[in-house]
Amino acid sequence: MLEMLQLPLVVTAQVDLLLVLVSLLAFWTRLSHLNYPNAVVFDEVYYGQFVSLYMKRVFFIDDSGPPLGHMILASGAYLGGFDGNFVWNRIGAEYPSTVNVWSLRLLPALCGALCVPLVYLLTLELKFSHLSALGAAVLLLLENSLIVQSRFMLLESVLIFFVLLAFFSYLRFHNSTPHRTLQGTCWLILSGVSCGAAVGVKYMGLFSYLLLLVVASLHTWKLIGDKTISHVISCHLYVHRVLCLVVVPVLLYVFWFYVHLSFLNRSGPHDQLMSSAFQASLQGGLSRITRGQPLEVAYGSQVTLRSSVSQPIPCWLHSHKVNYPIRYDNGRGSSHQQQVTCYPFKDVNNWWIIKDPGRQQLVVDTPPRPVRHGDVIQLVHGMTSRFLNSHDVAAPMSPHTQEVSGYIDFNVSMPAQNLWRVDISNREAESEVWKTILSEVRLIHVNTSAVLKLSGVSLPDWGFRQLEVVADKLFKAHSSSLEWTVEEHRYGTSQEQKEREAELHSPTHIDVDRKISFWAKFVELQWKMLTVKQEESEHKYSSSPLEWITMETNIAYWLHSSTNAQIHLIGNPVSWGVANLSLLAYQLLAVVYLLRRRRGLKDVPDGVWDQFVCLGCVCVGGWLVNFVPFLLMDKTLFLYHYLPALCYLYLLSPALLEHAHTHLLRYAHQPLRALCVGALAVLLSIFLTYRTFCPLTYGSPELSAHQLQGLKWRDTWDILYRRR
Amino acid sequence: MAKAECTPKWNTLALRNRKTCPTPEKSFQTTFTPVSKDKNSQTAGHLAGGDTQSSNGPSGQFLARESIESPSKVLLMLVAGLSFSTRLYMITEPPHVCWDETHFGKMGSYYINRTFFFDVHPPLGKMLIGLAGYMSGYDGTFPFIKPGDKYENQNYWGMRGFCATLGSFLPIFAYLIVLELSNSCTAAIIAATLLIFDTGCITISQYILLDPILMFFIMAAVLSMVKFNQQRYRSFSASWWLWLVLTGINLAGALGVKFVGLFVIILVGLNTIWDLWRLLGDMSLSLVDIAKHFLARAFALILLPVILYVTIFAVHFVVLNKSGPGDGFFSSAFQSRLIGNNLHNASMPEYLAFGSTVTIKNLRIAGGYLHSHWHLYPEGVGARQQQVTAYLHKDYNNLWVVHRQQDNNSQSGNPDLVRHGDIVRLEHKETTRNLHSHLHEAPLTKKHFQVTGYGINGTGDANDLWQVEVCGGRKGDPVKVLRSKVRFLHRATGCVLYSSGKTLPKWGWEQIEVTCSPYLKETPSSQWNIEDHINPKLPNISLSVLKPNFLEILLESHIVMFRGNSGLKPKDNEMNSKPWHWPINYQGLRFSGVNATEYRVYLLGNPVVWWINLASLGLYLTMVAVASIATQRGFSLGQQRIGGGLLMLGWLLHYAPFFTMGRILYFHHYFPAMLFSSMLTGLTLDILFRSADLLLHPPYSYWFQRAGQLLLLFSILYSFYLFHPLSYGMTGPLAHEPGSAMADLKWMDSWEF
């Protein structure tokens, strides 16, 4: 140890000037004039609302991705002192002076800028030369679409940053020999962390993560086959990788949610999508209403019953003083008794009273007699005093099920069948007490053993378009349309109908705090995020994946409110072409190589071949996994979804050129020179195209309509002109 | 109670045969064992790379074959007998239309009656059903309106029997495939037993459905492929050619029945690529030899199936020459081929005139007729005016009247012709609303404008005016009925009437969206033709429409089929089966009967069989994983390699794609995958039993093996005995009601029998 402290202390620093140069340029292109335009640009309007909610610590669900992305954007806002008081209502709205636009956009822009040096380093780790690395960095540097996407409060640049970082650090680890140094482990852990972060920003990160796992398992497979290392060490290596590349990302992913849930503890606009128990854990909202409600439902309790189905909207068991029509439009008859429906709004008609069939009274005894699993009850509608009833009459919209009604005795030999058995489906003990909010209950009709069910169909005009409630005999094992929870609850005290009505109109109150565990909340939130259905609608600028390859469409991000200054998501057409060309060339070359190698003709030495294969796995594989899944998706897609895939192609192009240069054209001097000149010419034209499209990338300077017309390289691009 | 008499008979039959069975099997085992060991040592080198097909040396294989020959013949007969008797038993029960018989029976009848119809599946299956019906004396008169209709005196048994016969071949094929792959009679008999006694396979084979026909071709293709693989050391011999060509024929058959046949084509394709790759690496073959191999496969597996497939369609179009319910899906030119269609030898006024009543058809394939009806766009979807859609069926609501800009009164004398550049107002005949557009977003295609019906009895506004433009025409050209491609340009906004091809949601009755597109590029979506043309004031002239050639018809019918397929989206409230339900036998399909009093048939796999299959999949993967890690770590395995990779791949190919499909899915889509899964089970369990000698010493391991086989057989037979009413029909109370015979058998709450 002491030898290391020998004097003189010498610091030897190696600085890759190329790396520094491209980094500086990247920062310059991504960060200059970041607060221009001082207006909401495209999807900022979408992400902004979540940032505001973060600032106010209000709970929300966003099905577009896990919470890390929003958290990163929110932390930028937090650093800039944003207080969340801004209405994100339309694209192009001016930011007031209180909003620090620069800080809102800073973090995505930083990530976008860091992608450039990362690509440089990644190319080096793929074992290509500095010149190739420079080429890849320049391609990325001068890609207009990447610049646009990173200069605003959007998440793609963050995603690309983490994906590149994950691959870079994994390859660093893989190339470091021996593997088991501390440094190597650090790189591996960094890789796992970036994977977790990438998946945490957008679900799209999952594609790259899976690719990385495939590459890592191929490498591990080779290691397992290495017979020079003992079984124990081999096993150890394997466990090591699984820990860093699988366990760490999964834990991180859960951790993002932990932060998200512990941070957002106030009720907000999306409460209603969640279960009652979840809502009760948020401050305000339901917990304000339900705080202090009695926990155990007793005979004489006044309750509202919420259906566990929250699709399309949550609703409560409801009845009102209107009867089913004697005949429906299609000629079928009904019982003409009082309608029972499910109503999506809070209403005094949602109150029901739980009655013991053996007794007349509708008030709670002292002490209260709780209702247990298996007990038989009657349900009395609070405002009309009708009993919840079902009988062998076809339901209005779902004729294969039984009608449910508020019983009216018309003296037509249709007796009351109003006994219901309480079946608590999430019970832990057989004689469990029916609990407010927590218990999910099925109400089983005693006479017909049908179950009270929300059919999900809305009634026609005679039923005020409320949702139909039926009793269904064929009950499936787990269907949330059969489950009901008590949401609001109080012990009834008034015997007289008049008093009771007054009581029902008064708000509930009282006080206890109910907690559900983090895991329950996590599982529920994750499930909701994956199953919440977006309304499938086409956006003006949406596009189909096949259009991305040729950049058929652009996206108008912003237009100045009075001039022609505008920002578009348009890629650099030349780089785009280079990327597509290299993709084709690689595949062609790979097929030729493979066929010839199979016949025993080795065009390149084995080391080079391995390098070539590795390049293909990462770059072509990366392109495939980030592109092909979109072909199968039924979602509204935009051009920016293609950017991660594009980055992989930019990695590929210079490396492939170098491969061709050093191996294919080794002995042919004439084409070699042509290749170099061609590459330079392409680089120059990339730079010129970048310059040409700069006004649409940065939104300044303003162009005349004629100049804009000149930039419309494709007929399908939508460039906006202001009529003067 | 024919059922009660017959079941024990089978059981005794099965048992008796079983008793006789072990003896030949034992002898086979004893003679076979040394041979197979010999073969192992011989082929170990070949297989080190993890090859999934057993590549046997010619001599070893030959020897093994000799010794297998005699017991396998007996077993094959047994399998065939059992298979046919289980499938053909009670074939005519229930004597009413079950489930999809209403479609496929009907389509069979259409072939007999030669009326044209439209279906999302290719025609071979339905043609065969029709043929079977025709041969057995069915006259095509039964309407097949809905499930539950009684057949009365119709000869429906022929069609059912035909399907059941094809279905009976499945266990036989499974037996032969597994025998080829593993050279083990035990594995083969396990696979066949699983299929013979699976209630699901029996049920799906017994009715007029496409599935037994499809599965027949799939299995036949796999069998021929496996046989072909075995011929690899006798390249270009007669049997080599025979199996190769048979593979191609069966592939064409599979694809000709349903597009699911594509998966088996991929399987064969991958296998062929793998085979060619192997040949390419064989340095003893010259490039010319390899080219010959390649060309032979290209001919038999690509060219031949394509020719056959096209032939099937040719027959289809030749047979169906009468107008029928499918006309509206096709273009005007196509319809003119059909006898009885109003376009066949059509006679109508030649040029479009003001005051004419017309139908306007979109030129995009399966584009539909311009349509409107008494319903408004719902709240929040543009303006709340009357819907305008495109509709594929011929309907009274497709009629529009061509008016001048101003007047509504019919003139006397000869009406004026509509010419290129004229301004017209299109009035919907039934509702007297004008075709209208305005600057609101269209319901689905947000980039376009909404098209509505507006005004009443001819009063409207300036947004009701459209300019007629004949594509490729000049100002003043008249509009030819049927032959002119017409565009309708909206006067006020300059957009063009467009059919986007997207299906509207429920409020639009799942008809096709019509919009007004601001993009003026000429595409078939924005071009229309005048199909029917009624104007009593003009002389009718016989029109000979340009008849399309065969390739155009073929292309058009395929596009229509694909559109139809992707249009089968699950409805909001409909119970949709999810692919993950299938392997666990989560929920079946009601073939017939709902109530306690009815004769019920429920398509559900024998749970024991299906769960054994599921477990074997896991077991197989574990075995492969352990074996490959061990090999990779340098242990040599004494075990024989199994040809399970091919079957595993087949299972994956027939199962995994369903996860990405947006169309509506049913339980029966899993059955082709289930066949592969069962064959894999045969192989896996056989290997598992034989691995007993790793743990136990010879006599015990042999007993263990026998005990395992017997236990397996017994559990399959017993579960079949328990569950056979699912296939052969049950009456009485439903399973969850008291007093039902099936009460104890409702092992999962989701089963609905």
Side-chain angles (χ1 to χ4, degrees):
Chain A
M1 284 302 270
L2 275 176
E3 288 114 301
M4 287 177 73
L5 289 174
Q6 270 176 354
L7 293 172
L9 276 170
V10 177
V11 180
T12 332
Q14 272 187 316
V15 181
D16 186 342
L17 281 179
L18 277 180
L19 180 62
V20 173
L21 185 70
V22 291
S23 311
L24 286 178
L25 282 174
F27 280 106
W28 185 64
T29 50
R30 265 69 175 175
L31 287 168
S32 61
H33 303 296
L34 200 55
N35 48 8
Y36 175 84
N38 188 27
V40 179
V41 174
F42 197 59
D43 267 358
E44 284 190 347
V45 76
Y46 178 74
Y47 292 117
Q49 50 175 331
F50 300 127
V51 170
S52 283
L53 291 174
Y54 254 108
M55 293 299 115
K56 293 176 180 296
R57 307 189 64 176
V58 167
F59 175 77
F60 64 88
I61 295 186
D62 175 25
D63 57 338
S64 71
L68 179 66
H70 302 314
M71 282 196 280
I72 289 174
L73 296 181
S75 59
Y78 178 75
L79 291 177
F82 179 55
D83 57 0
N85 287 326
F86 179 71
V87 191
W88 309 83
N89 56 358
R90 71 183 173 86
I91 296 171
E94 292 271 330
Y95 287 113
S97 56
T98 48
V99 178
N100 188 344
V101 184
W102 189 79
S103 81
L104 282 177
R105 293 177 183 162
L106 178 64
L107 290 179
L110 273 181
C111 288
L114 286 173
C115 288
V116 177
L118 261 181
V119 163
Y120 183 91
L121 292 170
L122 186 50
T123 313
L124 292 184
E125 290 304 327
L126 284 168
K127 296 181 187 156
F128 285 88
S129 70
H130 286 266
L131 215 54
S132 292
L134 183 67
V138 167
L139 277 175
L140 222 65
L141 184 70
L142 299 180
E143 173 53 56
N144 302 59
S145 58
L146 286 174
I147 297 176
V148 172
Q149 199 66 16
S150 43
R151 283 173 57 87
F152 301 103
M153 207 169 68
L154 307 169
L155 288 178
E156 271 70 24
S157 60
V158 185
L159 170 72
I160 294 172
F161 168 73
F162 280 122
V163 167
L164 290 175
L165 184 62
F167 268 102
F168 165 66
S169 41
Y170 174 73
L171 287 176
R172 242 303 154 69
F173 157 78
H174 179 68
N175 292 338
S176 70
T177 42
H179 290 312
R180 278 174 299 139
T181 56
L182 185 63
Q183 217 187 357
T185 311
C186 284
W187 283 118
L188 193 60
I189 289 177
L190 178 62
S191 177
V193 170
S194 336
C195 286
V199 179
V201 171
K202 284 205 151 214
Y203 284 125
M204 211 184 145
L206 202 62
F207 301 140
S208 297
Y209 173 49
L210 290 178
L211 178 72
L212 190 131
L213 281 187
V214 168
V215 172
S217 39
L218 285 180
H219 287 153
T220 318
W221 187 245
K222 265 187 205 154
L223 223 71
I224 290 177
D226 185 355
K227 279 147 204 155
T228 56
I229 46 178
S230 71
H231 296 326
V232 179
I233 294 180
S234 162
C235 196
H236 170 231
L237 285 174
Y238 179 72
V239 171
H240 181 214
R241 276 149 213 249
V242 168
L243 272 181
C244 294
L245 292 181
V246 179
V247 178
V248 167
V250 169
L251 286 180
L252 268 180
Y253 182 78
V254 178
F255 177 69
W256 309 136
F257 274 88
Y258 181 76
V259 175
H260 180 77
L261 282 173
S262 49
F263 209 77
L264 302 181
N265 55 6
R266 297 190 185 149
S267 82
H270 297 162
D271 282 16
Q272 299 228 309
L273 292 173
M274 310 306 286
S275 69
S276 302
F278 192 102
Q279 290 183 43
S281 73
L282 298 170
Q283 281 177 27
L286 186 69
S287 74
R288 199 181 66 244
I289 303 166
T290 57
R291 175 171 306 140
Q293 287 183 168
L295 181 65
E296 299 184 343
V297 175
Y299 291 105
S301 281
Q302 300 172 350
V303 296
T304 58
L305 286 165
R306 183 187 198 256
S307 166
S308 295
V309 181
S310 47
Q311 298 293 343
I313 30 172
C315 67
W316 292 268
L317 190 68
H318 179 96
S319 183
H320 41 234
K321 260 208 164 73
V322 182
N323 296 356
Y324 287 110
I326 298 177
R327 290 215 171 274
Y328 300 120
D329 289 344
N330 58 6
R332 270 193 301 116
S334 82
S335 68
H336 195 47
Q337 294 178 358
Q338 182 166 307
Q339 294 176 12
V340 172
T341 64
C342 201
Y343 187 53
F345 302 98
K346 299 252 167 178
D347 188 89
V348 71
N349 272 324
N350 297 346
W351 284 99
W352 297 83
I353 301 167
I354 293 177
K355 178 177 168 294
D356 184 347
R359 294 164 45 156
Q360 279 306 313
Q361 64 174 3
L362 291 177
V363 292
V364 175
D365 301 317
T366 37
R369 283 191 307 127
V371 181
R372 293 176 188 279
H373 172 75
D375 285 359
V376 173
I377 59 165
Q378 288 171 319
L379 281 169
V380 185
H381 187 238
M383 298 304 287
T384 61
S385 300
R386 300 280 181 210
F387 285 79
L388 187 73
N389 188 62
S390 181
H391 38 226
D392 192 14
V393 174
M397 309 308 289
S398 322
H400 54 284
T401 54
Q402 287 182 181
E403 180 189 272
V404 173
S405 64
Y407 182 71
I408 305 174
D409 194 359
F410 288 121
N411 246 334
V412 284
S413 69
M414 195 178 254
Q417 304 181 4
N418 52 20
L419 297 181
W420 299 85
R421 195 170 58 248
V422 176
D423 180 278
I424 301 176
S425 44
N426 59 346
R427 64 182 180 272
E428 276 152 14
E430 270 313 301
S431 61
E432 176 136 319
V433 176
W434 185 359
K435 297 197 189 95
T436 314
I437 292 177
L438 301 175
S439 298
E440 297 198 329
V441 169
R442 290 178 185 198
L443 292 170
I444 301 172
H445 192 231
V446 172
N447 298 62
T448 58
S449 73
V451 186
L452 191 71
K453 176 182 170 181
L454 173 67
S455 72
V457 187
S458 51
L459 297 169
D461 284 331
W462 56 255
F464 311 101
R465 307 249 157 227
Q466 295 174 5
L467 299 168
E468 185 198 34
V469 170
V470 299
D472 194 355
K473 270 187 181 175
L474 297 156
F475 56 96
K476 308 257 166 49
H478 302 289
S479 167
S480 56
S481 59
L482 304 169
E483 317 277 354
W484 301 83
T485 29
V486 168
E487 192 165 280
E488 291 173 82
H489 173 216
R490 64 186 150 203
Y491 287 156
T493 50
S494 28
Q495 190 63 260
E496 286 300 308
Q497 175 67 17
K498 275 274 171 298
E499 286 171 38
R500 202 155 55 229
E501 283 179 20
E503 193 182 10
L504 291 174
H505 276 292
S506 68
T508 40
H509 48 86
I510 347 174
D511 198 63
V512 220
D513 214 28
R514 257 166 231 128
K515 285 218 155 72
I516 58 170
S517 70
F518 163 69
W519 285 109
K521 283 166 88 173
F522 167 67
V523 169
E524 182 178 346
L525 178 59
Q526 179 71 76
W527 181 247
K528 283 277 151 61
M529 281 170 69
L530 293 177
T531 51
V532 164
K533 263 203 199 117
Q534 269 181 328
E535 215 174 283
E536 252 184 62
S537 66
E538 195 173 89
H539 188 275
K540 187 161 189 290
Y541 289 106
S542 62
S543 45
S544 72
L546 288 176
E547 293 172 358
W548 301 340
I549 298 179
T550 48
M551 204 165 46
E552 290 281 325
T553 47
N554 65 325
I555 307 178
Y557 266 26
W558 171 78
L559 176 66
H560 191 278
S561 52
S562 56
T563 70
N564 258 337
Q566 51 192 300
I567 295 177
H568 285 265
L569 185 76
I570 294 185
N572 188 329
V574 180
S575 327
W576 220 277
V578 168
N580 291 336
L581 211 64
S582 56
L583 180 67
L584 270 181
Y586 182 88
Q587 287 167 344
L588 210 67
L589 205 58
V591 169
V592 172
Y593 274 165
L594 268 175
L595 289 179
R596 286 174 61 85
R597 284 178 81 82
R598 186 73 186 162
R599 292 301 289 176
L601 303 165
K602 293 196 174 172
D603 301 279
V604 288
D606 279 339
V608 178
W609 171 246
D610 284 345
Q611 183 200 24
F612 185 75
V613 170
C614 184
L615 178 73
C617 277
V618 175
C619 298
V620 179
W623 180 81
L624 280 177
V625 295
N626 279 292
F627 178 69
V628 174
F630 287 111
L631 294 174
L632 307 173
M633 267 183 211
D634 244 1
K635 273 176 59 179
T636 316
L637 298 172
F638 293 94
L639 181 63
Y640 59 70
H641 284 123
Y642 186 58
L643 295 180
L646 188 70
C647 285
Y648 285 102
L649 291 189
Y650 286 159
L651 267 176
L652 176 70
S653 315
L656 195 64
L657 198 67
E658 185 191 329
H659 178 85
H661 179 266
T662 41
H663 301 290
L664 287 185
L665 305 171
R666 217 170 346 170
Y667 308 110
H669 292 289
Q670 206 64 32
L672 203 56
R673 205 164 302 136
L675 192 72
C676 294
V677 173
L680 277 179
V682 167
L683 273 184
L684 190 68
S685 55
I686 286 175
F687 177 72
L688 289 177
T689 335
Y690 160 76
R691 291 285 306 168
T692 315
F693 281 98
C694 261
L696 294 184
T697 305
Y698 294 98
S700 70
E702 183 202 348
L703 296 181
S704 69
H706 182 70
Q707 284 169 312
L708 285 172
Q709 190 69 46
L711 284 182
K712 195 171 174 177
W713 287 19
R714 277 179 167 281
D715 288 340
T716 45
W717 286 356
D718 200 354
I719 289 177
L720 312 163
Y721 315 106
R722 216 168 261 290
R723 284 183 194 158
R724 299 213 180 167
Chain B
M1 286 308 284
K3 185 170 59 183
E5 287 163 15
C6 214
T7 329
K9 197 174 83 192
W10 284 356
N11 282 341
T12 50
L13 179 77
L15 280 175
R16 200 186 61 221
N17 282 317
R18 270 277 108 190
K19 266 177 207 153
T20 57
C21 191
T23 358
E25 237 178 359
K26 203 195 278 174
S27 64
F28 140 66
Q29 274 292 338
T30 44
T31 52
F32 182 62
T33 317
V35 178
S36 83
K37 269 186 189 152
D38 176 23
K39 195 184 66 183
N40 277 337
S41 57
Q42 194 180 11
T43 56
H46 288 274
L47 294 166
D51 187 355
T52 48
Q53 301 132 31
S54 57
S55 66
N56 310 309
S59 59
Q61 183 201 336
F62 188 68
L63 279 175
R65 222 144 245 293
E66 280 289 276
S67 57
I68 285 174
E69 214 63 48
S70 49
S72 76
K73 276 274 166 58
V74 178
L75 286 173
L76 185 63
M77 297 305 291
L78 175 69
V79 166
L82 279 174
S83 175
F84 274 95
S85 47
T86 46
R87 266 80 181 155
L88 291 172
Y89 172 62
M90 289 179 75
I91 187 75
T92 53
E93 290 290 316
H96 56 244
V97 179
C98 289
W99 198 53
D100 269 0
E101 284 190 340
T102 170
H103 296 305
F104 301 119
K106 198 189 303 172
M107 289 166 188
S109 313
Y110 284 138
Y111 278 103
I112 295 172
N113 298 326
R114 308 190 68 174
T115 43
F116 189 76
F117 67 95
F118 164 71
D119 185 36
V120 296
H121 303 299
L124 180 63
K126 288 152 300 188
M127 280 199 290
L128 290 177
I129 289 174
L131 184 68
Y134 183 69
M135 303 297 274
S136 62
Y138 167 64
D139 55 3
T141 51
F142 188 70
F144 286 97
I145 292 168
K146 61 175 195 302
D149 290 355
K150 292 268 179 290
Y151 281 115
E152 309 292 346
N153 300 320
Q154 300 288 348
N155 276 329
Y156 63 98
W157 58 265
M159 291 187 274
R160 277 200 186 161
F162 169 71
C163 290
T165 310
L166 290 189
S168 311
F169 278 103
L170 300 179
I172 303 171
F173 286 163
Y175 177 84
L176 292 173
I177 292 171
V178 176
L179 192 65
E180 276 310 324
L181 284 176
S182 68
N183 272 332
S184 154
C185 266
T186 326
I189 202 79
I190 291 175
T193 317
L194 286 171
L195 290 180
I196 291 173
F197 296 111
D198 176 45
T199 49
C201 281
I202 294 175
T203 313
I204 206 159
S205 306
Q206 280 195 316
Y207 299 93
I208 308 172
L209 299 174
L210 295 186
D211 302 77
I213 310 176
L214 171 74
M215 290 195 285
F216 172 82
F217 282 117
I218 289 179
M219 289 295 272
V222 174
L223 177 63
S224 340
M225 177 182 83
V226 169
K227 287 271 189 197
F228 172 71
N229 281 342
Q230 297 292 354
Q231 304 290 332
R232 64 173 53 147
Y233 295 99
R234 284 187 252 156
S235 303
F236 303 106
S237 64
S239 57
W240 188 89
W241 276 109
L242 175 73
W243 291 118
L244 184 61
V245 168
L246 269 181
T247 314
I249 291 172
N250 285 315
L251 287 184
L255 190 66
V257 176
K258 267 189 177 189
F259 286 122
V260 174
L262 205 61
F263 300 144
V264 76
I265 292 185
I266 297 174
L267 179 69
V268 173
L270 288 175
N271 179 65
T272 311
I273 290 172
W274 179 249
D275 198 25
L276 285 172
W277 185 246
R278 186 186 56 79
L279 289 171
L280 189 68
D282 185 350
M283 301 304 266
S284 62
L285 292 174
S286 72
L287 280 177
V288 177
D289 290 334
I290 291 172
K292 272 192 209 157
H293 273 285
F294 177 77
L295 286 176
R297 284 167 177 79
F299 162 74
L301 300 179
I302 299 175
L303 199 60
L304 181 69
V306 167
I307 292 171
L308 286 176
Y309 183 73
V310 170
T311 316
I312 291 168
F313 270 88
V315 174
H316 172 74
F317 290 125
V318 169
V319 171
L320 300 183
N321 59 3
K322 289 185 198 156
S323 167
D327 293 9
F329 286 85
F330 292 85
S331 66
S332 311
F334 188 99
Q335 292 179 32
S336 66
R337 293 176 52 255
L338 301 169
I339 299 166
N341 189 291
N342 51 357
L343 297 179
H344 184 75
N345 300 329
S347 162
M348 56 178 75
E350 189 179 5
Y351 295 111
L352 182 67
F354 286 105
S356 299
T357 305
V358 293
T359 58
I360 302 170
K361 182 155 178 103
N362 192 250
L363 280 182
R364 207 176 61 93
I365 290 171
Y369 297 95
L370 190 67
H371 179 98
S372 185
H373 41 227
W374 284 113
H375 295 279
L376 305 185
Y377 284 105
E379 205 101 27
V381 182
R384 206 163 144 68
Q385 297 172 2
Q386 183 166 304
Q387 296 173 14
V388 172
T389 63
Y391 188 47
L392 284 168
H393 296 277
K394 297 203 167 188
D395 184 286
Y396 192 65
N397 271 327
N398 298 342
L399 292 177
W400 298 80
V401 186
V402 186
H403 283 297
R404 261 184 208 293
Q405 188 169 344
Q406 292 302 329
D407 66 327
N408 199 22
N409 332 338
S410 48
Q411 306 155 309
S412 54
N414 260 5
D416 291 340
L417 297 183
V418 178
R419 292 175 190 279
H420 181 101
D422 280 0
I423 310 289
V424 299
R425 185 164 57 75
L426 285 173
E427 187 180 301
H428 187 236
K429 186 156 191 206
E430 178 70 17
T431 61
T432 69
R433 304 235 187 259
N434 294 326
L435 188 72
H436 177 98
S437 181
H438 43 218
L439 294 172
H440 284 279
E441 277 181 349
L444 301 177
T445 317
K446 305 278 178 180
K447 299 174 189 179
H448 296 180
F449 302 126
Q450 186 191 25
V451 174
T452 64
Y454 181 74
I456 192 153
N457 278 329
T459 53
D461 64 9
N463 274 333
D464 298 346
L465 300 179
W466 301 81
Q467 184 168 22
V468 176
E469 198 188 271
V470 180
C471 294
R474 276 176 305 171
K475 192 156 176 57
D477 286 354
V479 178
K480 285 184 207 152
V481 171
L482 285 171
R483 276 170 289 186
S484 290
K485 297 174 179 172
V486 186
R487 299 207 302 166
F488 295 94
L489 290 163
H490 191 234
R491 278 294 279 175
T493 56
C495 57
V496 60
L497 192 69
Y498 190 91
S499 160
S500 70
K502 293 174 192 160
T503 310
L504 291 171
K506 214 164 160 189
W507 55 256
W509 310 96
E510 280 138 24
Q511 295 173 3
I512 296 168
E513 184 194 39
V514 168
T515 64
C516 193
S517 163
Y519 307 103
L520 298 181
K521 214 159 89 181
E522 284 193 4
T523 63
S525 298
S526 61
Q527 294 173 330
W528 304 77
N529 72 2
I530 311 295
E531 191 173 292
D532 297 298
H533 183 215
I534 304 157
N535 195 333
K537 291 179 187 160
L538 288 174
N540 284 350
I541 293 165
S542 179
L543 298 170
S544 61
V545 189
L546 277 177
K547 291 212 169 143
N549 66 28
F550 176 68
L551 282 181
E552 282 168 359
I553 299 176
L554 192 68
L555 184 71
E556 180 176 346
S557 59
H558 273 83
I559 294 174
V560 174
M561 276 193 285
F562 280 116
R563 293 254 165 79
N565 243 326
S566 57
L568 292 174
K569 287 269 155 71
K571 312 249 163 56
D572 289 341
N573 300 311
E574 213 169 334
M575 182 61 205
N576 191 14
S577 177
K578 303 275 189 320
W580 63 264
H581 289 173
W582 304 338
I584 55 176
N585 207 12
Y586 178 76
Q587 198 171 32
L589 269 172
R590 274 197 213 103
F591 262 43
S592 146
V594 180
N595 296 330
T597 50
E598 288 169 300
Y599 184 90
R600 282 162 312 171
V601 174
Y602 189 67
L603 173 72
L604 185 77
N606 182 341
V608 173
V609 171
W610 284 52
W611 293 341
I612 288 177
N613 280 345
L614 194 63
S616 303
L617 278 173
L619 190 66
Y620 174 76
L621 287 179
T622 324
M623 276 167 29
V624 167
V626 168
S628 42
I629 286 179
T631 324
Q632 185 77 358
R633 283 303 300 166
F635 297 105
S636 65
L637 286 182
Q639 276 293 336
Q640 188 200 352
R641 288 267 162 180
I642 51 173
L646 190 72
L647 299 176
M648 186 76 195
L649 185 68
W651 177 75
L652 266 181
L653 280 174
H654 283 86
Y655 180 47
F658 287 103
F659 281 94
T660 64
M661 277 188 200
R663 64 162 281 175
I664 188 162
L665 298 172
Y666 296 104
F667 178 57
H668 72 271
H669 288 146
Y670 183 67
F671 276 86
M674 186 266 172
L675 298 178
F676 285 96
S677 174
S678 301
M679 290 189 280
L680 186 63
T681 305
L683 284 181
T684 314
L685 292 184
D686 184 41
I687 291 287
L688 181 75
F689 292 142
R690 274 200 260 153
S691 314
D693 56 9
L694 290 179
L695 298 173
L696 301 170
H697 291 293
Y700 302 107
S701 69
Y702 176 74
W703 293 341
F704 175 81
Q705 200 174 328
R706 283 280 158 252
Q709 286 161 357
L710 282 176
L711 183 70
L712 185 69
L713 185 76
F714 176 75
S715 55
I716 292 171
L717 283 177
Y718 186 66
S719 62
F720 175 68
Y721 167 72
L722 287 178
F723 283 97
H724 75 270
L726 291 180
S727 304
Y728 298 125
M730 44 198 166
T731 48
L734 299 169
H736 69 261
E737 287 169 354
S740 164
M742 303 295 283
D744 293 338
L745 296 176
K746 201 174 153 68
W747 294 349
M748 283 175 87
D749 283 341
S750 48
W751 295 347
E752 303 154 310
F753 48 80

